[in-house]
Amino acid sequence: MSGTRAGIGPESYCICLACRKRFSMANGFLDPSSVVPSAEREWQKNRMIISVASGKGGTGKTLVATSLALSLSARGRVQFLDCDVEEPNAHIFLKPVIERVDQVCVPVPEVDDKKCTYCGKCSQVCAYNAIAVIPKQILVFPHLCHGCGACSYLCPEQAISERGREIGTVETGHSNDIEFVQGKLSVGQAMPTPVIRRVKEQINCDGMVIIDVSAGTSCPVVESVKGCDFCLLVTEPTPFGLNDLTLAVETVRELKIPCGVVINRAGIGDNKVQAYCFGENIPVLLNIPIDTSIARLYSRGLAMVEGMPQWKESFIRLSDGIRELIRERSGSPKR
Ligand code: SF4
Ligand code: SF4
């Protein structure tokens, strides 16, 4: 395995990630036309999409994401996307002024009884059991429908039309110099990914984009992280933190996205997270010590770098380190 040193600090290790594929941000699918040879991929100085994720909840992911955004906003254009749509909370720390609210709807089928012959094809094709045909009656379960459109496409009688069902909103605004976007899944809805997709449609690639991702490793995390240039994984040095970090690393590696680790509350637990990162060639880019001052700021709804501005330089260095890792990766030979 060929590797290069991250060179960010004493905890930085080799990283060898040579994927040349990129995901199309617009539709979330692998776009063959976007497979760019690494030698031809020119690094744009001010453009970078960083997702901030964590396998485990409560590790300080939003603390890192908001502090990173605030620190970098002094250097240029920054856009912050809160993709933790089931419980977005970055607004507490960034205090944006919301200027626009857009509905997010998924198309659900509506059947014209006059045209329907009850052939059952729509029910057979639906992978989510959202439409059922019983003798002379057709039932649609909107909350199970994922809006894939297969039933209306395959209906031989063109008996199915679609209507929008609201599942959430996308809010856009500003927090001083930071462009702010957040998704909100409506209460009782179970499909966060269409809302996340709509949030990511707002990405402005002219500057730094920071995406706050939900905890875990399920579909919302994959939807949020794919297409990013780098994934920052925030963890804590405990057995739970390590366990969930390993799952998160597996997920981002499957997506072929380079990653690095921030250890929050360093000083508690043990050194197994460090050892794991060393063994897996994952750079540890920043250690944030356990400190009651940080917890106090957090409880008052203040971003870490607002109450402790001396940390801004560390977050700027963190961003520079990520940029360097991506640059090294884009120039690394294919494995
Ligand atoms: S596929 Fe069309 S015609 Fe057949 S049962 Fe469904 S809605 Fe009716
Ligand atoms: S749109 Fe897709 S998910 Fe919804 S009922 Fe039709 S086939 Fe099922």
Side-chain angles (χ1 to χ4, degrees), residues 69-121:
L70 286 164
S71 303
L72 295 176
S73 64
R75 292 214 313 193
R77 190 169 186 175
V78 174
Q79 189 184 35
F80 189 97
L81 271 56
D82 196 342
C83 284
D84 190 357
V85 302
E86 288 170 88
E87 45 181 340
N89 65 346
H91 64 94
I92 295 170
F93 305 97
L94 295 179
K95 301 174 181 58
V97 175
I98 300 298
E99 292 144 5
R100 186 174 151 179
V101 180
D102 294 310
Q103 289 181 335
V104 180
C105 297
V106 291
V108 296
E110 249 181 1
V111 179
D112 183 344
D113 288 336
K114 293 191 186 77
K115 292 185 182 172
C116 179
T117 57
Y118 307 102
C119 69
K121 284 190 178 150

Side-chain angles (χ1 to χ4, degrees), residues 38-263:
S38 57
E40 292 169 26
R41 188 178 171 209
E42 189 180 331
W43 175 247
Q44 294 168 281
K45 194 169 186 302
N46 295 317
R47 178 202 175 273
M48 190 157 60
I49 304 174
I50 303 171
S51 52
V52 184
S54 65
K56 180 179 174 301
T59 56
K61 171 178 57 61
T62 301
L63 174 144
V64 170
T66 53
S67 291
L68 189 58
L70 286 164
S71 303
L72 295 176
S73 64
R75 292 214 313 193
R77 190 169 186 175
V78 174
Q79 189 184 35
F80 189 97
L81 271 56
D82 196 342
C83 284
D84 190 357
V85 302
E86 288 170 88
E87 45 181 340
N89 65 346
H91 64 94
I92 295 170
F93 305 97
L94 295 179
K95 301 174 181 58
V97 175
I98 300 298
E99 292 144 5
R100 186 174 151 179
V101 180
D102 294 310
Q103 289 181 335
V104 180
C105 297
V106 291
V108 296
E110 249 181 1
V111 179
D112 183 344
D113 288 336
K114 293 191 186 77
K115 292 185 182 172
C116 179
T117 57
Y118 307 102
C119 69
K121 284 190 178 150
C122 52
S123 171
Q124 288 159 17
V125 76
C126 182
Y128 305 99
N129 299 318
I131 189 163
V133 181
I134 54 178
K136 301 294 173 198
Q137 198 177 356
I138 191 154
L139 303 172
V140 177
F141 305 99
H143 281 75
L144 298 180
C145 175
H146 281 55
C148 69
C151 55
S152 59
Y153 182 76
L154 290 173
C155 173
E157 309 298 333
Q158 279 86 50
I160 300 178
S161 56
E162 292 176 336
R163 67 178 167 84
R165 181 173 69 85
E166 186 183 337
I167 59 165
T169 55
V170 172
E171 299 179 348
T172 50
H174 281 86
S175 169
N176 295 320
D177 293 335
I178 299 172
E179 293 173 44
F180 182 87
V181 187
Q182 71 176 357
K184 280 186 180 173
L185 187 68
S186 300
V187 174
Q189 299 299 330
M191 281 197 291
T193 49
V195 181
I196 294 168
R197 242 177 261 135
R198 284 290 298 278
V199 172
K200 290 180 75 177
E201 281 171 12
Q202 310 300 315
I203 285 180
N204 181 340
C205 287
D206 286 349
M208 293 287 300
V209 180
I210 295 167
I211 300 179
D212 194 358
V213 181
S214 56
T217 52
S218 57
C219 297
V221 173
V222 172
E223 190 65 45
S224 304
V225 168
K226 69 184 181 187
C228 293
D229 294 301
F230 196 88
C231 183
L232 202 52
L233 296 168
V234 184
T235 189
E236 59 183 25
T238 63
F240 290 126
L242 175 59
N243 179 70
D244 292 353
L245 174 65
T246 59
L247 299 175
V249 167
E250 282 174 28
T251 304
V252 295
R253 281 184 169 166
E254 194 66 31
L255 292 168
K256 309 278 192 287
I257 292 171
C259 66
V261 165
V262 171
I263 298 179

